[in-house]
Amino acid sequence: MSQIVFVTGANRGIGAATVAAFLEHGDSVVAGARDARAIERLPGISAASRERLLGVEIDVTSDRHVAAAMRATEQRFGRLDLLINMAGILPRPHDQPLEQLDFDQCREAFEVNALGPLRVARAALPLLRRSSNPRIVNITSGCGSLSGKDNGQFYAYGTSKAALNMLSLTMAFEFEKQGICCVALDPGWVKTDLGGANAELTPEFSAENIRRTTTELTLGSSKSFLLYDGKSLTW
């Protein structure tokens, strides 16, 4: 059975590849980006697949943008099966020591990486409740793992992703009785503008694994911190 999938941060990198992966497997996708015109220019998407694609303008820091995107989703598809909160930022330089840390960058990272997914998830709840297998997937990072911390870098990015992990777990506990699965998922170290040229994975490889893993999620998967291939990670 085909799914209705909403992906934020869908205009490039892992987000764009994830949109293409779901479309290729017959699902319908709402692709959100700050510039909705960028969705129209996504490569590698057939004309037939584009009939199942809805591009929406969304700034995850804006209540107004998020609400409008969900209204467009409701009008087109009527429900939502899977929300993938992909949009995120990595303030640079990532290795600023504390005495040089830019607190404005920290605030922006928290607004986009932590509060953004929370804002989108809240707005999506009415549509998710219409699904027979509703899932919320918050794209996090190994940098957000407390147990895996091994450096003095990534103040803004790492702490915002650690916050997202806690928010994911909190939502999982709240929505379990409503039948909504919520997990945090690490896409791996991917060759993107954020991950850099030395990263291990291609966006396409990560995206296909994300598609498979998130499609197979059930309520029993909730409260998990997963790698792109479905393996469990430590918080």
Side-chain angles (χ1 to χ4, degrees):
M1 182 178 178
S2 63
Q3 309 174 92
I4 311 299
V5 184
F6 195 120
V7 182
T8 66
N11 58 307
R12 60 182 180 176
I14 309 171
T18 299
V19 169
F22 277 105
L23 289 173
E24 184 178 343
H25 283 79
D27 296 312
S28 297
V29 180
V30 183
R34 288 189 177 187
D35 181 1
R37 294 171 297 181
I39 303 302
E40 300 173 3
R41 300 190 292 268
L42 289 180
I45 298 177
S46 68
S49 293
R50 286 190 181 276
E51 295 179 358
R52 290 180 276 106
L53 174 63
L54 172 64
V56 295
E57 179 182 359
I58 184 170
D59 177 348
V60 300
T61 69
S62 166
D63 291 339
R64 179 177 58 83
H65 272 233
V66 171
M70 291 305 161
R71 286 197 298 270
T73 301
E74 181 177 27
Q75 292 171 2
R76 177 72 176 272
F77 297 114
R79 75 172 198 277
L80 190 59
D81 299 307
L82 172 59
L83 169 63
I84 301 181
N85 280 310
M86 183 78 70
I89 60 171
L90 169 58
R92 299 184 189 277
H94 68 271
D95 57 353
Q96 283 181 325
L98 179 58
E99 290 178 308
Q100 298 174 18
L101 192 61
D102 186 330
F103 284 98
D104 287 336
Q105 285 188 335
C106 291
R107 292 185 187 94
E108 183 182 16
F110 269 82
E111 187 65 48
V112 175
N113 296 347
L115 296 183
L118 202 62
R119 180 178 287 108
V120 176
R122 181 172 68 178
L125 282 173
L127 296 179
L128 287 165
R129 290 183 177 121
R130 299 175 187 175
S131 171
S132 60
N133 182 27
R135 286 146 289 152
I136 299 171
V137 175
N138 294 316
I139 300 299
T140 182
S141 168
C143 288
S145 170
L146 295 181
S147 61
K149 187 65 175 174
D150 61 0
N151 62 67
Q153 302 178 7
F154 297 100
Y155 272 105
Y157 183 72
T159 53
S160 67
K161 289 298 188 178
L164 177 58
N165 287 354
M166 177 59 80
L167 292 171
S168 297
L169 194 54
T170 303
M171 284 193 289
F173 276 102
E174 179 182 356
F175 299 131
E176 185 175 31
K177 293 182 180 179
Q178 300 180 39
I180 300 175
C181 169
C182 185
V183 305
L185 188 144
D186 180 357
W189 187 21
V190 185
K191 296 180 189 295
T192 63
D193 291 343
L194 190 151
N198 294 324
E200 301 169 341
L201 309 176
T202 65
E204 292 74 21
F205 179 86
S206 176
E208 177 55 28
N209 277 272
I210 290 171
R211 183 204 64 80
R212 179 184 55 79
T213 296
T214 59
T215 296
E216 294 175 356
L217 292 175
T218 64
L219 187 59
S221 311
S222 203
K223 306 175 189 172
S224 298
F225 180 14
L226 304 173
L227 192 58
Y228 57 88
D229 58 5
K231 295 178 181 176
S232 295
L233 297 173
T234 57
W235 295 99

mmCIF file of all heavy atoms in Angstrom, residues 154-179:
data_model
loop_
_atom_site.group_PDB
_atom_site.id
_atom_site.type_symbol
_atom_site.label_atom_id
_atom_site.label_comp_id
_atom_site.label_asym_id
_atom_site.label_seq_id
_atom_site.Cartn_x
_atom_site.Cartn_y
_atom_site.Cartn_z
ATOM 1 N N PHE A 154 31.386 20.958 18.122
ATOM 2 C CA PHE A 154 29.966 20.898 17.797
ATOM 3 C C PHE A 154 29.084 21.386 18.949
ATOM 4 O O PHE A 154 28.051 20.796 19.258
ATOM 5 C CB PHE A 154 29.545 19.472 17.403
ATOM 6 C CG PHE A 154 30.220 18.948 16.165
ATOM 7 C CD1 PHE A 154 31.305 18.091 16.262
ATOM 8 C CD2 PHE A 154 29.781 19.337 14.908
ATOM 9 C CE1 PHE A 154 31.936 17.601 15.132
ATOM 10 C CE2 PHE A 154 30.406 18.847 13.763
ATOM 11 C CZ PHE A 154 31.489 17.982 13.874
ATOM 12 N N TYR A 155 29.471 22.480 19.583
ATOM 13 C CA TYR A 155 28.639 23.025 20.660
ATOM 14 C C TYR A 155 27.205 23.262 20.200
ATOM 15 O O TYR A 155 26.249 22.772 20.815
ATOM 16 C CB TYR A 155 29.233 24.335 21.180
ATOM 17 C CG TYR A 155 30.256 24.171 22.284
ATOM 18 C CD1 TYR A 155 31.618 24.325 22.022
ATOM 19 C CD2 TYR A 155 29.866 23.874 23.585
ATOM 20 C CE1 TYR A 155 32.564 24.191 23.041
ATOM 21 C CE2 TYR A 155 30.795 23.732 24.607
ATOM 22 C CZ TYR A 155 32.146 23.897 24.328
ATOM 23 O OH TYR A 155 33.065 23.758 25.334
ATOM 24 N N ALA A 156 27.040 24.032 19.134
ATOM 25 C CA ALA A 156 25.695 24.388 18.689
ATOM 26 C C ALA A 156 24.968 23.198 18.074
ATOM 27 O O ALA A 156 23.838 22.875 18.444
ATOM 28 C CB ALA A 156 25.769 25.543 17.690
ATOM 29 N N TYR A 157 25.623 22.542 17.127
ATOM 30 C CA TYR A 157 24.983 21.444 16.401
ATOM 31 C C TYR A 157 24.722 20.243 17.310
ATOM 32 O O TYR A 157 23.606 19.717 17.352
ATOM 33 C CB TYR A 157 25.874 21.024 15.230
ATOM 34 C CG TYR A 157 25.294 19.943 14.362
ATOM 35 C CD1 TYR A 157 24.233 20.221 13.502
ATOM 36 C CD2 TYR A 157 25.814 18.642 14.376
ATOM 37 C CE1 TYR A 157 23.702 19.231 12.682
ATOM 38 C CE2 TYR A 157 25.290 17.652 13.565
ATOM 39 C CZ TYR A 157 24.235 17.948 12.719
ATOM 40 O OH TYR A 157 23.711 16.973 11.915
ATOM 41 N N GLY A 158 25.740 19.821 18.037
ATOM 42 C CA GLY A 158 25.598 18.637 18.872
ATOM 43 C C GLY A 158 24.551 18.789 19.955
ATOM 44 O O GLY A 158 23.746 17.886 20.196
ATOM 45 N N THR A 159 24.540 19.938 20.616
ATOM 46 C CA THR A 159 23.556 20.125 21.688
ATOM 47 C C THR A 159 22.146 20.264 21.132
ATOM 48 O O THR A 159 21.187 19.804 21.758
ATOM 49 C CB THR A 159 23.914 21.357 22.540
ATOM 50 O OG1 THR A 159 24.095 22.502 21.698
ATOM 51 C CG2 THR A 159 25.175 21.119 23.336
ATOM 52 N N SER A 160 21.996 20.867 19.951
ATOM 53 C CA SER A 160 20.657 20.969 19.354
ATOM 54 C C SER A 160 20.140 19.590 18.944
ATOM 55 O O SER A 160 18.938 19.302 19.071
ATOM 56 C CB SER A 160 20.666 21.921 18.157
ATOM 57 O OG SER A 160 21.426 21.407 17.072
ATOM 58 N N LYS A 161 21.028 18.716 18.478
ATOM 59 C CA LYS A 161 20.613 17.361 18.112
ATOM 60 C C LYS A 161 20.358 16.499 19.351
ATOM 61 O O LYS A 161 19.475 15.632 19.343
ATOM 62 C CB LYS A 161 21.665 16.708 17.216
ATOM 63 C CG LYS A 161 21.733 17.304 15.809
ATOM 64 C CD LYS A 161 20.427 17.124 15.055
ATOM 65 C CE LYS A 161 20.561 17.534 13.597
ATOM 66 N NZ LYS A 161 19.306 17.324 12.815
ATOM 67 N N ALA A 162 21.118 16.737 20.415
ATOM 68 C CA ALA A 162 20.837 16.040 21.675
ATOM 69 C C ALA A 162 19.458 16.445 22.191
ATOM 70 O O ALA A 162 18.695 15.610 22.706
ATOM 71 C CB ALA A 162 21.915 16.357 22.704
ATOM 72 N N ALA A 163 19.124 17.723 22.050
ATOM 73 C CA ALA A 163 17.796 18.190 22.431
ATOM 74 C C ALA A 163 16.723 17.524 21.578
ATOM 75 O O ALA A 163 15.667 17.119 22.079
ATOM 76 C CB ALA A 163 17.718 19.710 22.301
ATOM 77 N N LEU A 164 16.997 17.392 20.279
ATOM 78 C CA LEU A 164 16.042 16.725 19.389
ATOM 79 C C LEU A 164 15.836 15.273 19.809
ATOM 80 O O LEU A 164 14.716 14.754 19.760
ATOM 81 C CB LEU A 164 16.533 16.797 17.946
ATOM 82 C CG LEU A 164 15.668 16.085 16.900
ATOM 83 C CD1 LEU A 164 14.242 16.639 16.891
ATOM 84 C CD2 LEU A 164 16.299 16.203 15.513
ATOM 85 N N ASN A 165 16.905 14.606 20.224
ATOM 86 C CA ASN A 165 16.761 13.223 20.704
ATOM 87 C C ASN A 165 15.811 13.145 21.895
ATOM 88 O O ASN A 165 14.947 12.267 21.966
ATOM 89 C CB ASN A 165 18.130 12.661 21.084
ATOM 90 C CG ASN A 165 18.990 12.341 19.875
ATOM 91 O OD1 ASN A 165 18.529 12.432 18.735
ATOM 92 N ND2 ASN A 165 20.233 11.973 20.121
ATOM 93 N N MET A 166 15.978 14.062 22.839
ATOM 94 C CA MET A 166 15.096 14.073 24.002
ATOM 95 C C MET A 166 13.660 14.400 23.607
ATOM 96 O O MET A 166 12.700 13.797 24.117
ATOM 97 C CB MET A 166 15.603 15.079 25.042
ATOM 98 C CG MET A 166 14.705 15.210 26.268
ATOM 99 S SD MET A 166 14.469 13.641 27.158
ATOM 100 C CE MET A 166 16.005 13.570 28.083
ATOM 101 N N LEU A 167 13.493 15.332 22.696
ATOM 102 C CA LEU A 167 12.154 15.663 22.217
ATOM 103 C C LEU A 167 11.512 14.470 21.525
ATOM 104 O O LEU A 167 10.314 14.217 21.688
ATOM 105 C CB LEU A 167 12.223 16.857 21.261
ATOM 106 C CG LEU A 167 12.614 18.196 21.891
ATOM 107 C CD1 LEU A 167 12.865 19.247 20.815
ATOM 108 C CD2 LEU A 167 11.545 18.675 22.858
ATOM 109 N N SER A 168 12.300 13.726 20.748
ATOM 110 C CA SER A 168 11.780 12.536 20.070
ATOM 111 C C SER A 168 11.291 11.507 21.083
ATOM 112 O O SER A 168 10.201 10.930 20.925
ATOM 113 C CB SER A 168 12.868 11.904 19.193
ATOM 114 O OG SER A 168 13.278 12.781 18.178
ATOM 115 N N LEU A 169 12.085 11.287 22.105
ATOM 116 C CA LEU A 169 11.719 10.306 23.121
ATOM 117 C C LEU A 169 10.491 10.765 23.908
ATOM 118 O O LEU A 169 9.597 9.969 24.222
ATOM 119 C CB LEU A 169 12.901 10.081 24.063
ATOM 120 C CG LEU A 169 12.860 8.872 24.994
ATOM 121 C CD1 LEU A 169 12.611 7.582 24.225
ATOM 122 C CD2 LEU A 169 14.166 8.775 25.779
ATOM 123 N N THR A 170 10.423 12.058 24.200
ATOM 124 C CA THR A 170 9.272 12.602 24.919
ATOM 125 C C THR A 170 7.998 12.448 24.094
ATOM 126 O O THR A 170 6.949 12.030 24.606
ATOM 127 C CB THR A 170 9.508 14.087 25.256
ATOM 128 O OG1 THR A 170 10.713 14.211 26.006
ATOM 129 C CG2 THR A 170 8.351 14.647 26.075
ATOM 130 N N MET A 171 8.073 12.776 22.794
ATOM 131 C CA MET A 171 6.913 12.601 21.919
ATOM 132 C C MET A 171 6.520 11.135 21.829
ATOM 133 O O MET A 171 5.321 10.800 21.794
ATOM 134 C CB MET A 171 7.214 13.152 20.524
ATOM 135 C CG MET A 171 7.184 14.655 20.432
ATOM 136 S SD MET A 171 7.182 15.260 18.712
ATOM 137 C CE MET A 171 8.862 14.874 18.228
ATOM 138 N N ALA A 172 7.507 10.239 21.792
ATOM 139 C CA ALA A 172 7.209 8.811 21.698
ATOM 140 C C ALA A 172 6.382 8.344 22.889
ATOM 141 O O ALA A 172 5.416 7.580 22.741
ATOM 142 C CB ALA A 172 8.509 8.020 21.604
ATOM 143 N N PHE A 173 6.743 8.797 24.077
ATOM 144 C CA PHE A 173 5.979 8.436 25.268
ATOM 145 C C PHE A 173 4.571 9.040 25.225
ATOM 146 O O PHE A 173 3.586 8.366 25.547
ATOM 147 C CB PHE A 173 6.701 8.912 26.528
ATOM 148 C CG PHE A 173 7.752 7.968 27.026
ATOM 149 C CD1 PHE A 173 9.097 8.208 26.794
ATOM 150 C CD2 PHE A 173 7.396 6.816 27.721
ATOM 151 C CE1 PHE A 173 10.071 7.333 27.248
ATOM 152 C CE2 PHE A 173 8.364 5.928 28.183
ATOM 153 C CZ PHE A 173 9.705 6.185 27.947
ATOM 154 N N GLU A 174 4.468 10.295 24.804
ATOM 155 C CA GLU A 174 3.151 10.944 24.781
ATOM 156 C C GLU A 174 2.203 10.290 23.788
ATOM 157 O O GLU A 174 1.017 10.069 24.083
ATOM 158 C CB GLU A 174 3.275 12.427 24.446
ATOM 159 C CG GLU A 174 1.912 13.111 24.396
ATOM 160 C CD GLU A 174 1.950 14.577 24.017
ATOM 161 O OE1 GLU A 174 3.055 15.130 23.846
ATOM 162 O OE2 GLU A 174 0.855 15.183 23.886
ATOM 163 N N PHE A 175 2.708 9.981 22.587
ATOM 164 C CA PHE A 175 1.824 9.554 21.503
ATOM 165 C C PHE A 175 1.663 8.042 21.386
ATOM 166 O O PHE A 175 0.916 7.563 20.529
ATOM 167 C CB PHE A 175 2.318 10.127 20.173
ATOM 168 C CG PHE A 175 2.327 11.629 20.153
ATOM 169 C CD1 PHE A 175 3.453 12.321 19.727
ATOM 170 C CD2 PHE A 175 1.230 12.349 20.578
ATOM 171 C CE1 PHE A 175 3.478 13.698 19.718
ATOM 172 C CE2 PHE A 175 1.236 13.727 20.581
ATOM 173 C CZ PHE A 175 2.361 14.411 20.150
ATOM 174 N N GLU A 176 2.340 7.286 22.249
ATOM 175 C CA GLU A 176 2.236 5.835 22.178
ATOM 176 C C GLU A 176 0.784 5.374 22.336
ATOM 177 O O GLU A 176 0.309 4.496 21.601
ATOM 178 C CB GLU A 176 3.105 5.203 23.258
ATOM 179 C CG GLU A 176 3.163 3.685 23.201
ATOM 180 C CD GLU A 176 4.135 3.124 24.213
ATOM 181 O OE1 GLU A 176 4.318 3.752 25.294
ATOM 182 O OE2 GLU A 176 4.720 2.067 23.942
ATOM 183 N N LYS A 177 0.047 5.985 23.262
ATOM 184 C CA LYS A 177 -1.337 5.586 23.495
ATOM 185 C C LYS A 177 -2.249 5.985 22.347
ATOM 186 O O LYS A 177 -3.351 5.473 22.227
ATOM 187 C CB LYS A 177 -1.843 6.188 24.802
ATOM 188 C CG LYS A 177 -1.150 5.618 26.037
ATOM 189 C CD LYS A 177 -1.712 6.215 27.317
ATOM 190 C CE LYS A 177 -1.019 5.636 28.540
ATOM 191 N NZ LYS A 177 -1.543 6.215 29.810
ATOM 192 N N GLN A 178 -1.762 6.901 21.490
ATOM 193 C CA GLN A 178 -2.533 7.308 20.318
ATOM 194 C C GLN A 178 -2.164 6.500 19.083
ATOM 195 O O GLN A 178 -2.698 6.729 17.995
ATOM 196 C CB GLN A 178 -2.320 8.799 20.036
ATOM 197 C CG GLN A 178 -2.742 9.709 21.177
ATOM 198 C CD GLN A 178 -2.513 11.179 20.856
ATOM 199 O OE1 GLN A 178 -2.729 11.628 19.734
ATOM 200 N NE2 GLN A 178 -2.076 11.935 21.851
ATOM 201 N N GLY A 179 -1.226 5.565 19.249
ATOM 202 C CA GLY A 179 -0.835 4.709 18.138
ATOM 203 C C GLY A 179 0.139 5.342 17.175
ATOM 204 O O GLY A 179 0.298 4.865 16.047
#
